[in-house]
Amino acid sequence: MCGIIGIASNKSVSSNIIQSLKKLEYRGYDSAGIATIKDGFIDEKKCTGRVDSLEKILFKNPSAGFLGIGHVRWATHGVPSQVNAHPHSSEEVSVVHNGIIENSSELKKDLEKKGYKFKSQTDTEVITFLLTDLLKNFDLIKAVNKTLEKLNGSFALGIIFKKYKDIVVGARRGSPLAVGYGPDENYLGSDSYALKSMTNKITYLDDGDVCLLTQNKIEFYNSNNKKVNKEILTLSNDKNTADKGTYKDFMSKEINEQSQTAKNCINEYIDHLRKDINLYNFPIKPQEIKKIILIGCGTAYHSCLTAKYWFEEFSNIPVETDVASEFRYRKIKFSNKNLYIFVSQSGETADTFAALDMCKKNNVKTCSIVNTVESSIARLSDFVLPIHAGPEIGVASTKAFTGQLLVLFILAIKISQIRKEINENTYIKKIDKLKKLPDLIKKTLKCQDEVQIIAKDFLSTKGAIFLGRGLSFPIALEGALKLKELSYLHAEGYPAGEMKHGPLALIEEGLPVVILAPNDRYFEKTISNMQEVIARGGKVILISNKNNNIISENIRFTLEVPQTDDYLMPFLMTIPLQLLAYYVASLKNHDVDKPRNLAKSVTVE
Ligand code: F6R
């Protein structure tokens, strides 16, 4: 999704803007641009494709200037093209934008009547001309705030001005934005990760904030044009740096480090001496929770679906799950006896944030499970449970998924123990089993050679189906999601028991069907569903921990995963599915870290 950088300095800024834009590449984008103030004028350069292409343009034709803004664009209004790339500039101002302006068509008509000529099809250009217009009659902060008043939708903005040539302005409503404090220069950025190589002193903007950066100061204003003070945070030094190491790409690194990230997470939450889980200051007494509502998007939603089974199994608490983009627009009956849990790797997903915001406005208790502890979702929720997975750069979520599952499992057993719905003995046994999980993940990762062979079968297919029951059903959904986003194949995840109600019609000779059949209480039933698939010509890939040379000679491949408690099988079932998607995409020469059309941090709805 779009990313913003701004720098006000006492030296040329273009090379630092380019380096910081490269840090935002993980978000997914289709074009890039930069604007600086050079000899008193706005100097704008932009292109389609990668930041590398922009860098080449700058190499041939440098942008001098001690102050500037940069942008990576993920197209919403208007195709990816040079003219639609940001910044969007007039003679007077240059603007970069992350978000969507919902009333841009009306605003555009008014501005055209005033004689402004639009070059692009973007919603952003209206901001450029609105501001240009208002600057004729108002001072800087008033003109910015009056512009923002006219905008419906969500935005984070970076703006530079011909007239105010030492100032970068930032503004936020709905989309994330941070400022960073450096020696002799100051920064604006979509996230702290982009600024981390330059500073660890950060302030996050809240909705409605406007900030004004010069080389040696940063000021904040509210929507009434009054100065406000904001807290400066010192970012932690993350040992787990965003570096590929010896891996070919981030995705393979992130899949392979799951044993370690699981260990880190377990060590953060489990008190090994007392055999207990450290969870203090919980926002609601577990004994008083009447219902749990789990909310997320995409892969994070699949972790919510998995956790529903755990909470229902271990506790007597009714559980609902919801996709954030649906939850936020429904007529919800809120109750302060319920616990609303938000799951998000980035902590910046616009729909999840909006759903959380709705809960906050209804005064109910919220908890977030995030990877990015400085994120907007973490900051807004009453209670934060980090997953401690380290930066996840590959667009497809892998280690963050297993991290989310871990924290949800830990939460489910702790809440159930406090409520006395599982006894001490069961509780301690579950903790003991959990401690063995990192080693089991490591063992499961050894299936890579087998999965590479299986992946070849997916090169000649139009699509694939993933089936599971119970805890394996959400994992089937996750396997299908991973395959579709990376390989661009049509993939469906289904509860195996639903096949006869329609999807069985899809089975034809040679269609790959991945069957998740752990040796749990659903095993026999899933195997019956598998036989129905085989009888209709489906090419079955069976993933199971039942090791006695299973059942049918017509299975194309059987992949064996290690034994563990039934409740922990989702962790081990997930690994081969992540690898499958990875290898199919690699065989198709896709960019596994940046699949087409997708963004890592979905900051627009
Ligand atoms: C899929 C994937 C997405 C994200 C979703 C939510 O591999 O990564 O489906 O899970 O966009 O993102 P977060 O977790 O950042 O809220």
Side-chain angles (χ1 to χ4, degrees):
M1 212 81 345
C2 303
I4 290 175
I5 293 294
I7 304 182
S9 182
N10 62 357
K11 57 181 188 286
S12 174
V13 290
S14 60
S15 127
N16 273 350
I17 290 178
I18 292 291
Q19 294 320 313
S20 307
L21 286 179
K22 286 185 178 173
K23 294 262 161 42
L24 291 173
E25 285 190 305
Y26 77 94
R27 299 161 76 95
Y29 69 103
D30 44 59
S31 49
I34 182 170
T36 56
I37 302 291
K38 185 179 168 188
D39 304 328
F41 291 95
I42 292 168
D43 179 20
E44 177 197 280
K45 296 196 174 76
K46 45 200 199 179
C47 64
T48 52
R50 300 282 179 213
V51 177
D52 280 348
S53 312
L54 182 66
E55 196 172 20
K56 281 185 193 136
I57 294 173
L58 289 170
F59 188 70
K60 281 195 198 136
N61 185 4
S63 272
F66 289 7
L67 168 141
I69 47 179
H71 190 261
V72 282
R73 172 175 188 250
W74 186 82
T76 56
H77 289 54
V79 295
S81 66
Q82 191 202 15
V83 79
N84 286 335
H86 298 211
H88 290 282
S89 311
S90 66
E91 283 270 304
E92 298 300 322
V93 304
S94 183
V95 177
V96 289
H97 168 213
N98 171 16
I100 291 180
I101 306 305
E102 288 164 358
N103 58 339
S104 61
S105 313
E106 298 97 89
L107 292 170
K108 189 171 174 179
K109 275 186 207 139
D110 293 346
L111 287 159
E112 278 173 336
K113 277 187 205 145
K114 288 188 172 179
Y116 290 99
K117 300 250 176 308
F118 284 76
K119 288 176 276 189
S120 77
Q121 293 108 44
T122 65
D123 50 343
T124 305
E125 210 176 354
V126 297
I127 307 173
T128 306
F129 290 132
L130 267 177
L131 193 51
T132 305
D133 204 50
L134 286 159
L135 277 167
K136 289 178 188 161
N137 300 316
F138 296 98
D139 68 25
L140 178 64
I141 291 297
K142 278 201 183 127
V144 169
N145 266 327
K146 282 192 177 294
T147 301
L148 304 186
E149 268 169 34
K150 291 184 188 289
L151 306 178
N152 294 342
S154 66
F155 50 78
L157 302 174
I159 314 167
I160 55 172
F161 306 82
K162 179 179 161 192
K163 184 169 164 195
Y164 305 98
K165 54 184 185 305
D166 55 350
I167 292 175
V168 178
V169 162
R172 165 189 170 151
R173 189 199 297 157
S175 303
L177 197 62
V179 296
Y181 303 77
D184 304 322
E185 54 186 23
N186 289 310
Y187 317 102
L188 186 69
S190 287
D191 59 32
S192 56
Y193 172 62
L195 305 182
K196 228 171 177 176
S197 62
M198 301 184 286
T199 180
N200 66 346
K201 298 266 179 273
I202 297 281
T203 295
Y204 291 99
L205 272 74
D206 291 310
D207 277 353
D209 286 344
V210 170
C211 64
L212 195 148
L213 280 71
T214 63
Q215 173 224 319
N216 47 25
K217 71 170 191 289
I218 301 182
E219 291 172 348
F220 299 93
Y221 294 84
N222 64 16
S223 51
N224 296 322
N225 312 316
K226 295 268 175 306
K227 258 194 201 176
V228 287
N229 292 323
K230 297 192 76 77
E231 193 187 351
I232 302 178
L233 306 172
T234 305
L235 297 178
S236 56
N237 273 332
D238 206 323
K239 287 177 262 128
N240 209 340
T241 50
D243 173 335
K244 272 186 235 171
T246 53
Y247 290 93
K248 220 168 101 206
D249 36 60
F250 282 107
M251 189 177 176
S252 54
K253 174 180 179 252
E254 287 158 6
I255 292 175
N256 281 292
E257 69 192 8
Q258 287 177 103
S259 157
Q260 188 56 48
T261 52
K263 198 181 232 164
N264 296 348
C265 183
I266 289 170
N267 285 342
E268 291 288 339
Y269 287 102
I270 307 276
D271 181 332
H272 294 276
L273 275 183
R274 290 188 301 123
K275 292 208 171 175
D276 199 357
I277 290 167
N278 300 319
L279 263 189
Y280 306 109
N281 304 324
F282 211 63
I284 178 167
K285 279 199 180 131
Q287 297 88 331
E288 291 172 5
I289 300 173
K290 287 277 176 285
K291 199 201 279 182
I292 289 177
I293 296 95
L294 294 154
I295 299 157
C297 302
T299 289
Y301 173 64
H302 295 157
S303 63
C304 296
L305 284 177
T306 315
K308 179 180 163 76
Y309 287 83
W310 287 327
F311 278 108
E312 285 179 349
E313 196 68 34
F314 306 147
S315 76
N316 282 325
I317 310 174
V319 182
E320 281 177 22
T321 52
D322 232 313
V323 169
S325 56
E326 289 297 317
F327 180 90
R328 65 181 288 193
Y329 291 115
R330 291 220 318 278
K331 201 171 153 197
I332 305 287
K333 310 251 174 315
F334 287 101
S335 163
N336 58 11
K337 297 267 187 300
N338 295 349
L339 175 62
Y340 297 79
I341 301 179
F342 295 84
V343 184
S344 172
Q345 187 285 129
S346 61
E348 300 295 352
T349 301
D351 284 318
T352 313
F353 181 82
L356 167 63
D357 193 41
M358 187 165 140
C359 287
K360 292 293 292 181
K361 289 186 173 129
N362 282 280
N363 294 319
V364 290
K365 296 286 183 254
T366 59
C367 162
S368 63
I369 295 178
V370 295
N371 197 24
T372 315
V373 281
E374 300 102 359
S375 61
S376 307
I377 288 175
R379 283 179 288 124
L380 187 63
S381 42
D382 297 319
F383 191 64
V384 185
L385 295 170
I387 64 169
H388 301 286
E392 188 180 69
I393 306 298
V395 164
S397 195
T398 52
K399 63 175 179 170
F401 179 60
T402 44
Q404 290 159 359
L405 290 183
L406 258 179
V407 173
L408 284 160
F409 182 83
I410 287 169
L411 189 61
I413 58 174
K414 183 66 191 171
I415 285 183
S416 309
Q417 180 240 6
I418 297 174
R419 290 166 63 97
K420 301 199 184 331
E421 287 159 338
I422 53 174
N423 63 35
E424 278 309 300
N425 195 16
T426 315
Y427 174 66
I428 288 173
K429 270 194 189 146
K430 292 215 178 303
I431 293 178
D432 279 340
K433 285 266 168 63
L434 195 59
K435 280 160 61 181
K436 299 198 175 102
L437 189 63
D439 279 343
L440 296 174
I441 292 178
K442 201 180 213 165
K443 271 194 194 146
T444 313
L445 281 162
K446 293 201 173 125
C447 66
Q448 315 219 2
D449 290 347
E450 282 169 90
V451 178
Q452 273 192 69
I453 295 167
I454 297 172
K456 291 191 185 135
D457 266 18
F458 286 71
L459 294 180
S460 51
T461 179
K462 292 184 288 199
I465 296 184
F466 292 70
L467 300 177
R469 283 172 178 256
L471 277 164
S472 297
F473 158 52
I475 305 305
L477 291 180
E478 175 59 8
L481 176 61
K482 284 288 95 88
L483 188 69
K484 62 185 111 172
E485 67 178 323
L486 286 155
S487 71
Y488 318 148
L489 286 172
H490 186 99
E492 291 282 354
Y494 256 97
E498 271 288 292
M499 284 303 279
K500 289 193 196 72
H501 304 287
L504 207 52
L506 293 172
I507 307 293
E508 57 187 23
E509 199 61 39
L511 182 83
V513 181
V514 179
I515 309 265
L516 306 179
N519 190 13
D520 58 14
R521 64 175 189 254
Y522 304 96
F523 180 76
E524 305 297 341
K525 292 193 182 305
T526 309
I527 294 301
S528 302
N529 298 132
M530 179 188 81
Q531 300 296 7
E532 289 155 9
V533 168
I534 291 174
R536 285 156 185 85
K539 207 191 262 181
V540 163
I541 296 106
L542 174 67
I543 306 181
S544 180
N545 59 337
K546 188 160 170 128
N547 49 11
N548 50 357
N549 282 340
I550 312 175
I551 306 126
S552 166
E553 57 223 37
N554 294 321
I555 297 171
R556 170 95 172 146
F557 293 106
T558 305
L559 212 141
E560 199 181 313
V561 294
Q563 303 290 346
T564 181
D565 194 293
D566 289 353
Y567 299 115
L568 296 178
M569 281 313 289
F571 293 93
L572 307 188
M573 287 289 176
T574 296
I575 307 279
L577 303 185
Q578 294 173 342
L579 289 167
L580 179 64
Y582 173 80
Y583 284 121
V584 177
S586 304
L587 286 170
K588 289 176 160 231
N589 287 324
H590 293 175
D591 184 341
V592 288
D593 285 341
K594 298 187 200 92
R596 72 180 181 200
N597 304 340
L598 298 177
K600 183 69 184 159
S601 188
V602 184
T603 50
V604 292
E605 74 167 299

